[in-house]
Amino acid sequence: TARYLNVQGTLVDSSTPNTKVIVYRKIGSQYSYSQTLDAFDLDEQFAYDIAISADGRKIAVGASKNSDVSANNGAVYIYIQRDDTFVYNQTIYPTAKTPNVRFGSKLDFDGNTLAITSKGGDIATTTTFDTGATSFDNNNTKFAKVDDNSGLISIYETVNDTLIYGQDFAYDRDTEDFGNIIKVANNHVY
């Protein structure tokens, strides 16, 4: 299991950081180098944040400027331990496909739960006027308040070594930087 991680950055040229995640293992009373997790793309802010599962068998690596889906949409890479090596297992993208979501800005693991912050995520709150008993125009019209770039927290749960989307956390007050600090512990998100 991973006991210690180090994020190491060097410059490839004057503007492109080459960030790596260095894994060390504790053997006896000493930490020894184990392996290096390299960035998939040098421009995606690989390892902007990292999280390790409580059992040390999963590593989540945020890449908040990944542009595979749209510009700076973000991604999180999941590595799982096979024997004594961490291997790439999965890439998680945000449910929102809009630019500048910056998914993977902050990460935290607890047990089988991974919380991921989208620094540029929008919180949308749908307005209801009663308990849903009344509807007009076949429910085609929806009223929603959108708090742009407020930040958003997404929850993922582990099922058979794969992280599956659970839900997004909404916060019904005007906010800025929601999810900038997150902690997952004992089935709670703080």
Side-chain angles (χ1 to χ4, degrees):
T1 58
R3 298 289 182 207
Y4 178 75
L5 293 179
N6 178 32
V7 177
Q8 177 181 349
T10 59
L11 292 178
V12 174
D13 60 34
S14 62
S15 62
T16 307
N18 182 13
T19 306
K20 304 168 188 262
V21 176
I22 312 298
V23 180
Y24 292 85
R25 295 184 190 282
K26 189 171 186 181
I27 301 169
S29 62
Q30 300 289 325
Y31 285 95
S32 297
Y33 168 82
S34 178
Q35 76 181 91
T36 300
L37 306 176
D38 289 307
F40 288 95
D41 179 343
L42 296 179
D43 294 326
E44 66 182 359
Q45 281 194 337
F46 182 80
Y48 189 84
D49 197 19
I50 58 175
I52 307 169
S53 63
D55 64 3
R57 298 193 179 281
K58 287 189 231 49
I59 300 173
V61 180
S64 62
K65 290 195 174 179
N66 175 287
S67 297
D68 289 352
V69 175
S70 63
N72 297 325
N73 191 246
V76 174
Y77 300 110
I78 305 298
Y79 296 84
I80 59 173
Q81 186 178 8
R82 299 257 191 251
D83 299 318
D84 286 335
T85 304
F86 284 94
V87 295
Y88 165 78
N89 186 58
Q90 172 184 12
T91 301
I92 302 173
Y93 296 106
T95 56
K97 307 301 181 206
T98 56
N100 299 314
V101 171
R102 297 186 312 264
F103 182 78
S105 298
K106 295 287 180 186
L107 309 169
D108 197 34
F109 250 124
D110 183 53
N112 290 321
T113 303
L114 174 64
I116 303 172
T117 296
S118 298
K119 191 171 184 153
D122 299 335
I123 296 175
T125 307
T126 304
T127 303
T128 58
F129 297 103
D130 56 21
T131 60
T134 306
S135 66
F136 301 99
D137 69 357
N138 290 325
N139 287 323
N140 288 319
T141 302
K142 305 248 188 246
F143 298 95
K145 175 187 169 202
V146 177
D147 192 359
D148 291 326
N149 293 317
S150 56
L152 183 71
I153 298 174
S154 301
I155 301 297
Y156 289 78
E157 296 289 337
T158 303
V159 177
N160 299 327
D161 282 338
T162 301
L163 283 149
I164 307 294
Y165 171 76
Q167 73 179 81
D168 290 333
F169 280 3
Y171 183 70
D172 63 357
R173 307 251 195 276
D174 188 27
T175 185
E176 187 175 314
D177 290 335
F178 180 68
N180 193 38
I181 301 171
I182 58 173
K183 179 68 180 160
V184 183
N186 300 321
N187 207 27
H188 290 79
V189 179
Y190 302 94

